[in-house]
Amino acid sequence: DGVEYTFWTFGGSVPGSFIRVREGDEVEFHLTNAKSSMTAHNIDLHAVTGPGGGATATFTGPGQETSFTFRALKSGLFVYHCAMAPVGMHIANGMYGLILVEPEGGLPKVDREFYVMQGEFYTMGKHGEQGHQDFSYEKAVDERPDYVVFNGAVGSLTGDNALKARTGEKVRLFVGNGGPNLVSSFHVIGEIFDNVYPEGGITVNHNVQTTLVPAGGAAITEFRTDVPGTYVMVDHSIFRAFDKGALGMIDVMGDAQPTIFNGGSAGGH
């Protein structure tokens, strides 16, 4: 609160829109750069097999539009980002998102799906310093972020913005890491992931507590919500969560399940 920043975005949000296609699809992709833009942009989609992941075909100056087509050859969860020099600066200002290439038969059915993407912001002022903050190239090179956040801002997934679910539901999180520098140790406090697709691929791990999400990478996590309450998503590089903002919440409503978890009472045993 009270800290302002000029984001660079795909479509006006950080992260950019979640893109969803199927394996084997031919995708026609258009990129438009606003006339008011201060610089050229492009896009590198890690789901693309071709030069620059589409970046070489989408050099888009202010007021221009470019397009290309690609075949979605491999299923998985992939990052996209701007790849215009200086690449790190474009990513650090918010130009990243996720593209899901579902397998031909689709993913197994779940009750709820959510899009959570971590990113870092490097400001001239210190964490929490009020007013408009400019990007600090020096801090970015030194990998000293003032903010590490989910979905573009401190508090973007807390309070009234918390994710919502009910007991007994299967929840799938599409987790990405725009970086540009740090690896995420993604964890949901009070849950154990039934399934994790590490690095966004097709291998499945089971009963996972914390999964690593590399900068420029992703993971799919799935779990059943057995017990009601508030569950906290964090980067378990823990000072990032409680001191820099990498914290979100999942509010689970439903009946108590004392055979699974009994909170007891104050002073109880």
Side-chain angles (χ1 to χ4, degrees):
D1 291 342
V3 182
E4 297 179 354
Y5 191 83
T6 301
F7 298 94
W8 299 5
T9 74
F10 287 111
S13 65
V14 179
S17 297
F18 191 85
I19 303 171
R20 192 169 195 150
V21 300
R22 281 285 178 95
E23 184 179 357
D25 281 356
E26 183 180 22
V27 181
E28 182 178 312
F29 195 96
H30 292 254
L31 185 68
T32 301
N33 195 359
K35 290 181 180 179
S36 59
S37 177
M38 301 292 289
T39 183
H41 295 291
N42 62 10
I43 192 166
D44 169 5
L45 302 111
H46 291 185
V48 170
T49 302
T56 58
T58 54
F59 183 98
T60 314
Q64 295 181 338
E65 178 178 329
T66 57
S67 66
F68 72 103
T69 61
F70 71 94
R71 182 76 63 182
L73 296 179
K74 298 182 184 296
S75 62
L77 182 62
F78 301 94
V79 167
Y80 65 81
H81 60 86
C82 188
M84 191 66 63
V87 179
M89 181 179 182
H90 287 245
I91 296 174
N93 279 318
M95 299 192 77
Y96 50 78
L98 291 181
I99 174 171
L100 172 68
V101 182
E102 289 199 55
E104 290 184 2
L107 291 171
K109 179 176 171 53
V110 295
D111 298 293
R112 298 183 190 269
E113 294 178 326
F114 299 108
Y115 176 22
V116 179
M117 196 161 190
Q118 184 168 315
E120 307 134 37
F121 291 92
Y122 301 82
T123 58
M124 295 297 291
K126 295 180 180 180
H127 178 95
E129 188 170 324
Q130 301 290 283
H132 187 275
Q133 294 297 320
D134 291 324
F135 168 71
S136 171
Y137 201 95
E138 180 181 2
K139 287 182 180 177
V141 171
D142 290 343
E143 302 184 7
R144 293 184 290 113
D146 299 279
Y147 302 89
V148 184
V149 299
F150 296 136
N151 290 13
V154 175
S156 65
L157 297 175
T158 65
D160 292 341
N161 298 320
L163 308 180
K164 304 288 195 271
R166 296 195 61 82
T167 53
E169 292 183 328
K170 293 182 179 180
V171 174
R172 176 179 292 137
L173 301 179
F174 296 111
V175 183
N177 184 6
N181 290 319
L182 304 181
V183 172
S184 175
S185 302
F186 186 76
H187 176 76
V188 177
I189 300 172
E191 274 293 351
I192 300 165
F193 300 134
D194 299 319
N195 303 312
V196 172
Y197 298 76
E199 299 178 4
I202 61 174
T203 302
V204 183
N205 290 339
H206 304 291
N207 302 342
V208 175
Q209 58 187 316
T210 302
T211 190
L212 289 173
V213 187
I220 301 172
T221 71
E222 298 171 343
F223 56 93
R224 176 186 168 92
T225 50
D226 293 303
V227 178
T230 297
Y231 294 81
V232 180
M233 300 178 290
V234 297
D235 180 342
H236 214 300
S237 300
I238 207 70
F239 280 99
R240 299 176 191 169
F242 296 108
D243 293 87
K244 294 191 174 184
L247 185 150
M249 294 179 177
I250 306 171
D251 287 339
V252 178
M253 305 297 292
D255 295 331
Q257 300 293 328
T259 60
I260 299 175
F261 178 83
N262 190 338
S265 58
H269 298 284

